[in-house]
Amino acid sequence: MNDFSGRGRRAQDRADKVTETYTRKMAIEASGNAPVKTGDLRADIAASPKRLGKASWQYGSTLDYAGIQEFTHRSKKGFIRKSIWDNEADYQRAIKREVAD
């Protein structure tokens, strides 16, 4: 049982590290693709990655107009969603690789 529990904790730790890495990567990509007027939106997204729990992270923006820019801006629509879509397969492969070991 101790060996099983130890392996489970190590797998959780590895999954958390991979999730953190990809969350930060996606936040930087989303930030780089966000529309720029003052730069506040880009800075807010880049600084936003936050750990919610083991292997659970989030990023986004707290600015009032972030949702409007994400869903309705003519030329940059979907910059946060696109960063997720672009990294989804790589993230899934990385998690499988880390947890399978």
Side-chain angles (χ1 to χ4, degrees):
M1 260 330 251
N2 286 338
D3 186 44
F4 182 73
S5 295
R7 285 180 180 206
R9 281 191 299 277
R10 285 190 296 278
Q12 282 182 337
D13 290 343
R14 288 193 304 267
D16 186 54
K17 203 158 243 352
V18 169
T19 303
E20 176 185 8
T21 299
Y22 273 88
T23 302
R24 292 186 186 283
K25 180 180 188 280
M26 289 184 278
I28 289 168
E29 288 178 12
S31 171
N33 291 328
V36 180
K37 186 171 184 178
T38 64
D40 291 345
L41 181 59
R42 284 188 172 190
D44 193 47
I45 293 169
S48 70
K50 177 181 170 186
R51 184 175 191 239
L52 302 176
K54 282 277 189 188
S56 179
W57 286 74
Q58 74 176 13
Y59 72 97
S61 178
T62 58
L63 299 175
D64 293 338
Y65 60 90
I68 293 167
Q69 293 297 329
E70 170 69 13
F71 294 104
T72 62
H73 191 274
R74 282 190 306 246
S75 63
K76 299 286 187 168
K77 187 165 51 172
F79 53 92
I80 292 176
R81 291 172 289 162
K82 185 173 179 350
S83 71
I84 295 168
W85 297 330
D86 289 349
N87 288 285
E88 182 177 18
D90 291 340
Y91 170 68
Q92 289 173 345
R93 280 191 295 273
I95 284 288
K96 286 178 185 175
R97 188 174 49 247
E98 285 298 319
V99 175
D101 289 342

